[in-house]
Amino acid sequence: MAASVQSVAKVLWRLTPSVLHPLRIYQPCVQKLCPRVSVSPVFLQSHSFCQAASLHDEAAAQAAETLSRYKEKPWEYLESEEYIEKYGSSPVWTGYRRNHKGGIPPQKTRKTCIRGDKICGNPCPICRDVNIIIHPQNVKLLEQFISPYTGIIYDPTKTGVCMKQQKKLTEAIDASRDHGFLPFQIPYVDFTKEDYSNSHDAVGATPPPASLTAGESWYKWYGEITPDESEVTKVKRKYKAYLK
Ligand SMILES: [Zn+2]
């Protein structure tokens, strides 16, 4: 058993580094299976890979840190020097030009700029800057996508934002309005007109009709009708138990 494992270790020793990489994952398992067998050279080598990997991980972590610097509070980026240097006082989407075939721009922007780890050549104003994060509390960013005159969200063909980010934008703006960070317009209704007044008689107690006097029925013809006697007796017989 031990000999066979040793031969396996020899084979592993000859293997290329690319194959060794997955071995690093199974290292604890192999150690569990054969604790006596010395496979240290393999793991020494794999350790160097580990170091390289850890360095790579550190670089990735650093990159992630730079990415997520404004992740907690995305609205702080809009006030940072970095942002002012990049955009000044104009909205994020000013100066962005879409790429399209032919002279007439399409009626829609692209579906998304980033698919997996593939980024398109000309990402939209939101996708091109990692620090721009759409959040209901990122009011200054959301305001850049709303018309100050009408309160309507700008069309993506105007701003160049891809459909994915546009959807996120509209959702964030709706949430922001719900939470009271952004103003919204309610249609103004003038209640002074007659339709809405509650001072007329119909709202209070309804006055009796002028023609109606005590003892008289509401409809004049109601007193004039004489019911058929046989029908009355039939009904009376039917409801005898209930009549007092
Ligand atoms: Zn995009």
Side-chain angles (χ1 to χ4, degrees), residues 32-60:
K32 257 185 206 171
L33 283 171
C34 45
R36 284 179 202 170
V37 181
S38 64
V39 278
S40 55
V42 174
F43 293 123
L44 268 174
Q45 208 177 12
S46 75
H47 181 67
S48 66
F49 281 113
C50 278
Q51 270 187 336
S54 68
L55 279 173
H56 180 74
D57 287 346
E58 273 175 26

Side-chain angles (χ1 to χ4, degrees), residues 188-198:
Y188 176 71
V189 181
D190 187 13
F191 287 104
T192 55
K193 284 179 186 163
E194 201 185 337
D195 281 354
Y196 299 100
S197 89
N198 58 356

Side-chain angles (χ1 to χ4, degrees), residues 110 112-114 123-128 160-165:
R110 78 169 71 82
T112 178
C113 306
I114 301 161
C124 75
I126 292 175
C127 293
R128 70 182 171 185
V161 174
C162 63
M163 301 311 284
K164 192 181 173 184
Q165 299 292 351

Side-chain angles (χ1 to χ4, degrees), residues 3-15 37-39 42:
S4 68
V5 173
Q6 266 182 340
S7 67
V8 167
K10 272 179 191 172
V11 169
L12 285 175
W13 173 243
R14 285 186 207 123
L15 284 172
V37 181
S38 64
V39 278
V42 174

Side-chain angles (χ1 to χ4, degrees), residues 227-238:
D228 190 10
E229 281 299 320
S230 62
E231 287 293 319
V232 172
T233 48
K234 213 186 262 178
V235 170
K236 273 185 181 173
R237 201 185 304 137
K238 196 175 181 183

Side-chain angles (χ1 to χ4, degrees), residues 134-178:
I134 298 168
H135 191 275
Q137 286 185 47
N138 201 350
V139 180
K140 278 193 174 180
L141 177 72
L142 299 180
E143 273 174 348
Q144 295 178 1
F145 292 89
I146 301 170
S147 167
Y149 305 109
T150 58
I152 293 167
I153 302 163
Y154 285 136
D155 199 73
T157 48
K158 180 184 170 73
T159 56
V161 174
C162 63
M163 301 311 284
K164 192 181 173 184
Q165 299 292 351
Q166 182 72 15
K167 195 182 170 189
K168 276 190 192 173
L169 261 179
T170 47
E171 280 169 359
I173 287 168
D174 283 346
S176 186
R177 280 176 175 159
D178 270 354

